[in-house]
Amino acid sequence: MSHWRRKLVLWMVMVIQLSLFLSVFSTEIHARKFLKDNHINTNDVRLHISDRLVVIYNGLVEVTIENPSGYLIGIKYKKMQNVLERRNHNSNRGYSNFLEYWDIVWDGNSYDKLETKHVEVITQTNDIVELSFTKTWNSKNHGKTIPLNIQKRYIVRRGISGVYMYGIFERQEDFPKAHMYQIRIAFKLKEDKFRFMALSDTIQRVMPRSEDRVKGHTKPLDFKEAVLLTNPPNPKLKGEVDDKYQYSTENKDNKLNGWISDHDSVGFWIMTPSNEFRTGGPHKQDLTSHVGPTALSMFVSTHYTGTEINTFYKEGEAWKKVFGPVLIYLNSASSKDDDHRKILWNDAKRQLSEEIESWPYNFTRSEDFPHSQQRGQVNGQLLVQDRYMDKQLMQAKSAFGYQFWTQTDEIGRFNIKNVRPGVYNLYAWAHGFIGSYKLDLDITILPGNKIELDTLIYYPPRNGPTLWEIGIPDRTAAEFFIPEPYPQYVNSITNDGADKFRQYGLWDRYSDIYRDSDLVYTVGTSNYSKDWFFAHVPRKIGDDRCRPTTWQIKYNLQDVNNRGTYTLQMAIAAASFAEVEVQFNDPNSDRPHFTTKRIGYDNAVPRHGIHGLYRLYSIEVPGYRFRKGSNTIYLTQTRSDNSFEAVMYDYIRLEGPNSLNN
């Protein structure tokens, strides 16, 4: 492209941006004049629609949405004309140029940013405005857009300084098949304002800016998301690693994340009062906020699980689902208050508590989002019986059920409230026990009904008495040895002991600790919190080459039943393109006694997750393979193309032959 053409394109973009700004400014002036001339209470919720823009205001926030695309392009709060970044207008249609966007990743790496075609006013009163931006899929767009009918809904309420957002997605039977790998809402905030990120009481920090991550300011690390800040404009960040996966969290904890503008003492928060619309269960991990400043509301993704739980629909399968509502909440503190960050964070937690208490919302006006009186409830008690641990029934305290999740109390009682009408399966797992419970009956929830289940008893997998065990059956590798991070790759935000596993580069520490030979664990002598590395990774041997690793478990047996059957219970907390071969006392056999074959896509090791998808293998072994006295089990992770082909073990137990009468 010639020089003058580049100038022409630049001027065209500037004109488009200026046109949008003037249009928004004109709409705002017109709206305020209308309120003043008609003596309208500025606390009322008001709506103004033009050919290009839709503006909703309630005296606290002013929300501007592009008409008819449904893109949220402006949120005015206090003296901030727009909390969203507006340097790049979405008319550029570059993926990174959107201020706010829904998106779905589908059929490979195709992105659909869910641009809509129509706007409809659902509710308009002095107390609430609800809008629906819609698009109906057309077969002419086959292969170009996701085969879904789309509704993006926005709600502004009196007295709430924010905007509620939810989506209703529908597939009809004649729609073509489709994979959906990711569904989310993303926000790009003003980079010169929002510098402080908060995800929890302990995960809070001043964040790098996008410019801190560019060439000349960073050293690239093992994957594109991770960089070492070598020369950032903010010298306090020099020498730290920045990687968006270090800020991931589990669904059950992912209720509140956001940013603070210190200069304005303003907070921007994403609140998720319910997890009913997310996939993957309570311990599914996902992204939150990261450099941008970017704030995410994740609904569906393959992070930490791989494609094994992606959403796939065949042709002929109808489907409809509501994602949300989530609340985008803004708050402020006095600029004179030195502790404004704490004030904003605590106020956001207070508002979140109110949103959780109000769930399911009664102000939405979609028949696809049932209110409280249209939902049902399931009550029951879960007990566990493992005869080799305790002949008495044991309470399954702190067990989880999903996709409507709850946690049992100290005696195993559970109450799953506000369940949408439908047919469900009941699953659970209990801390300290391997495997999962599944009720053999379907549960049908009708509007308003309350189901009381009999006491449920879970018999976890068990074939014989415990001879020895390694770890805790909790579906994570958190109890195993987490090494100290490399001093040059530290992120100060994850120095807390509970988050130590999120430090960058821990996988390479295995090759430092076990430089010449692999891990050997001796039952009765070794301590799994010190001697069992958290991830079974390949060992680096130089020139970016890796080799498979074989771990040994050494133990003694006083007696051996040659005619009996022993069982090795091997629970895996994560796996990524890995294969574990198991041998008993003979590492040189032509064929392993057992192999998992290639398993896993969760990539939990480089993404700093202490677990991914759970797997349990009950490996039966004839008694003649054991010896009286010294024995060794060999665990070989055979894949070694890179450092991330690995497994994380949750728990390993050797059981003797069954010694109890049935």
Side-chain angles (χ1 to χ4, degrees):
M1 180 183 293
S2 66
H3 181 66
W4 70 269
R5 286 188 178 180
R6 286 197 296 269
K7 282 188 174 181
L8 178 60
V9 171
L10 175 62
W11 278 106
M12 288 175 64
V13 171
M14 291 177 65
V15 168
I16 291 171
Q17 292 176 339
L18 179 61
S19 173
L20 175 70
F21 173 78
L22 292 176
S23 179
V24 172
F25 183 74
S26 173
T27 301
E28 292 173 353
I29 294 295
H30 177 82
R32 294 194 190 100
K33 185 175 185 301
F34 176 80
L35 292 174
K36 182 178 179 180
D37 292 347
N38 291 275
H39 306 287
I40 293 174
N41 186 339
T42 55
N43 292 325
D44 290 347
V45 184
R46 291 299 167 190
L47 172 66
H48 183 85
I49 300 179
S50 68
D51 290 341
R52 295 190 59 191
L53 298 171
V54 177
V55 181
I56 321 171
Y57 32 90
N58 66 354
L60 297 173
V61 293
E62 188 169 280
V63 178
T64 303
I65 307 164
E66 189 177 67
N67 186 9
S69 70
Y71 297 129
L72 176 60
I73 60 175
I75 301 178
K76 180 182 178 184
Y77 179 71
K78 299 294 184 179
K79 294 181 180 180
M80 296 186 69
Q81 293 297 315
N82 195 351
V83 301
L84 303 178
E85 185 60 74
R86 287 179 61 173
R87 288 183 299 178
N88 295 307
H89 174 232
N90 59 311
S91 293
N92 295 336
R93 292 298 181 257
Y95 185 69
S96 63
N97 295 330
F98 285 73
L99 313 177
E100 171 276 336
Y101 51 87
W102 286 77
D103 75 13
I104 294 181
V105 181
W106 64 291
D107 284 0
N109 288 318
S110 299
Y111 286 86
D112 193 317
K113 291 172 280 292
L114 307 186
E115 181 173 335
T116 52
K117 302 297 183 183
H118 307 282
V119 60
E120 178 183 358
V121 178
I122 303 298
T123 304
Q124 184 178 4
T125 70
N126 290 342
D127 294 318
I128 187 171
V129 165
E130 179 171 350
L131 303 176
S132 179
F133 290 81
T134 63
K135 180 182 73 171
T136 301
W137 188 78
N138 191 310
S139 59
K140 294 179 181 179
N141 294 320
H142 193 338
K144 299 178 182 178
T145 61
I146 184 75
L148 288 176
N149 294 334
I150 304 296
Q151 290 188 55
K152 295 189 295 188
R153 295 213 175 189
Y154 298 89
I155 299 174
V156 175
R157 301 172 62 205
R158 178 195 288 270
I160 301 295
S161 56
V163 53
Y164 295 88
M165 302 174 62
Y166 68 109
I168 306 170
F169 301 156
E170 179 185 27
R171 282 179 49 83
Q172 297 178 355
E173 288 187 3
D174 60 343
F175 284 11
K177 65 180 181 181
H179 290 266
M180 289 183 279
Y181 302 101
Q182 176 174 277
I183 303 174
R184 68 178 184 178
I185 312 175
F187 298 86
K188 301 288 187 181
L189 306 183
K190 275 193 172 298
E191 190 162 11
D192 61 342
K193 296 284 188 179
F194 292 93
R195 300 292 307 281
F196 188 84
M197 183 184 75
L199 310 178
S200 70
D201 289 335
T202 58
I203 306 296
Q204 301 184 7
R205 70 169 299 177
V206 172
M207 290 289 286
R209 301 174 67 172
S210 297
E211 64 189 47
D212 296 336
R213 290 177 54 96
V214 301
K215 187 177 181 180
H217 294 298
T218 62
K219 172 187 174 182
L221 296 177
D222 285 355
F223 45 93
K224 64 180 181 180
E225 291 86 356
V227 297
L228 177 66
L229 303 173
T230 55
N231 185 31
N234 183 349
K236 293 181 179 179
L237 298 175
K238 184 176 180 179
E240 295 217 352
V241 168
D242 180 66
D243 175 5
K244 68 180 181 180
Y245 292 111
Q246 291 182 313
Y247 311 121
S248 298
T249 190
E250 295 182 344
N251 281 345
K252 65 180 177 60
D253 302 318
N254 190 2
K255 297 181 175 67
L256 175 66
N257 73 89
W259 294 80
I260 290 173
S261 170
D262 288 327
H263 180 269
D264 305 276
S265 295
V266 165
F268 176 98
W269 310 101
I270 297 178
M271 298 184 178
T272 308
S274 172
N275 281 301
E276 68 179 49
F277 40 81
R278 285 175 169 158
T279 60
H283 293 285
K284 165 71 167 67
Q285 299 168 96
D286 226 320
L287 299 173
T288 55
S289 289
H290 56 81
V291 167
T294 300
L296 299 175
S297 179
M298 303 294 298
F299 301 129
V300 175
S301 86
T302 57
H303 296 132
Y304 302 95
T305 61
T307 56
E308 292 176 68
I309 68 161
N310 75 317
T311 308
F312 173 65
Y313 291 97
K314 301 176 183 177
E315 187 172 350
E317 290 182 336
W319 173 83
K320 179 184 280 190
K321 185 165 183 177
V322 176
F323 292 97
V326 297
L327 171 62
I328 311 308
Y329 178 72
L330 294 103
N331 59 1
S332 63
S334 171
S335 58
K336 299 179 181 179
D337 200 317
D338 293 335
D339 207 12
H340 65 277
R341 292 174 179 170
K342 184 176 180 180
I343 292 172
L344 293 172
W345 173 250
N346 286 337
D347 176 68
K349 291 198 296 182
R350 175 204 57 78
Q351 185 66 37
L352 173 65
S353 296
E354 292 187 9
E355 301 302 319
I356 293 173
E357 185 67 24
S358 300
W359 189 271
Y361 296 138
N362 63 4
F363 53 80
T364 57
R365 289 296 175 265
S366 170
E367 63 182 15
D368 297 306
F369 183 81
H371 297 167
S372 180
Q373 66 274 17
Q374 299 169 299
R375 298 184 177 218
Q377 181 173 320
V378 179
N379 299 326
Q381 183 180 30
L382 179 66
L383 302 178
V384 181
Q385 185 169 61
D386 186 327
R387 296 177 297 168
Y388 285 97
M389 292 179 63
D390 192 327
K391 293 184 178 181
Q392 301 297 317
L393 291 172
M394 294 171 283
Q395 287 81 21
K397 58 184 179 180
S398 300
F400 275 102
Y402 55 90
Q403 283 296 274
F404 282 87
W405 317 325
T406 192
Q407 195 167 12
T408 62
D409 62 18
E410 289 295 313
I411 62 171
R413 292 287 305 178
F414 61 87
N415 183 356
I416 307 177
K417 299 179 180 178
N418 298 315
V419 182
R420 296 168 59 102
V423 180
Y424 295 88
N425 299 122
L426 178 68
Y427 293 87
W429 68 270
H431 180 93
F433 300 93
I434 61 175
S436 300
Y437 172 83
K438 180 182 182 298
L439 183 64
D440 290 333
L441 300 174
D442 291 338
I443 298 177
T444 300
I445 300 295
L446 300 174
N449 71 343
K450 183 176 180 180
I451 295 177
E452 295 285 347
L453 296 175
D454 294 333
T455 298
L456 310 176
I457 300 177
Y458 174 45
Y459 301 94
R462 167 75 76 170
N463 292 331
T466 299
L467 300 180
W468 51 259
E469 58 187 349
I470 301 173
I472 301 170
D474 60 358
R475 301 193 173 211
T476 82
E479 70 270 27
F480 297 130
F481 176 63
I482 309 293
E484 292 299 318
Y486 292 110
Q488 68 271 31
Y489 292 147
V490 170
N491 184 329
S492 58
I493 200 173
T494 59
N495 272 344
D496 181 80
D499 294 304
K500 186 178 177 182
F501 65 87
R502 298 191 186 279
Q503 292 285 359
Y504 176 85
L506 297 182
W507 50 87
D508 282 341
R509 294 304 315 274
Y510 179 85
S511 299
D512 297 334
I513 298 170
Y514 299 96
R515 190 177 302 274
D516 300 315
S517 59
D518 289 321
L519 182 152
V520 177
Y521 186 93
T522 302
V523 174
T525 302
S526 299
N527 182 333
Y528 60 74
S529 65
K530 297 179 180 179
D531 302 313
W532 188 272
F533 201 77
F534 78 102
H536 193 163
V537 295
R539 181 147 47 90
K540 286 192 170 182
I541 56 175
D543 299 327
D544 293 327
R545 291 181 299 142
C546 297
R547 68 168 42 169
T549 50
T550 298
W551 291 9
Q552 299 180 46
I553 304 173
K554 292 184 175 295
Y555 58 98
N556 283 297
L557 294 178
Q558 293 182 352
D559 296 294
V560 174
N561 182 345
N562 290 326
R563 296 183 178 181
T565 299
Y566 293 71
T567 304
L568 183 71
Q569 303 284 6
M570 185 172 70
I572 290 179
S576 186
F577 296 95
E579 179 178 10
V580 178
E581 293 183 350
V582 184
Q583 298 276 33
F584 295 86
N585 288 324
D586 183 4
N588 299 315
S589 175
D590 292 337
R591 296 180 59 185
H593 177 79
F594 173 83
T595 177
T596 62
K597 299 184 179 178
R598 197 202 59 74
I599 53 172
Y601 304 90
D602 55 38
N603 222 16
V605 169
R607 288 177 172 172
H608 322 291
I610 202 62
H611 65 86
L613 278 183
Y614 177 80
R615 293 172 171 83
L616 175 65
Y617 299 95
S618 296
I619 305 167
E620 294 188 350
V621 191
Y624 63 80
R625 289 189 176 272
F626 297 93
R627 306 165 182 160
K628 185 177 180 179
S630 179
N631 288 262
T632 303
I633 293 177
Y634 300 88
L635 305 176
T636 302
Q637 202 294 100
T638 66
R639 308 282 173 141
S640 59
D641 286 341
N642 58 63
S643 298
F644 307 139
E645 295 181 330
V647 298
M648 296 182 191
Y649 299 101
D650 165 41
Y651 174 75
I652 299 177
R653 179 174 76 211
L654 182 64
E655 299 171 357
N658 188 350
S659 60
L660 294 178
N661 294 325
N662 293 330

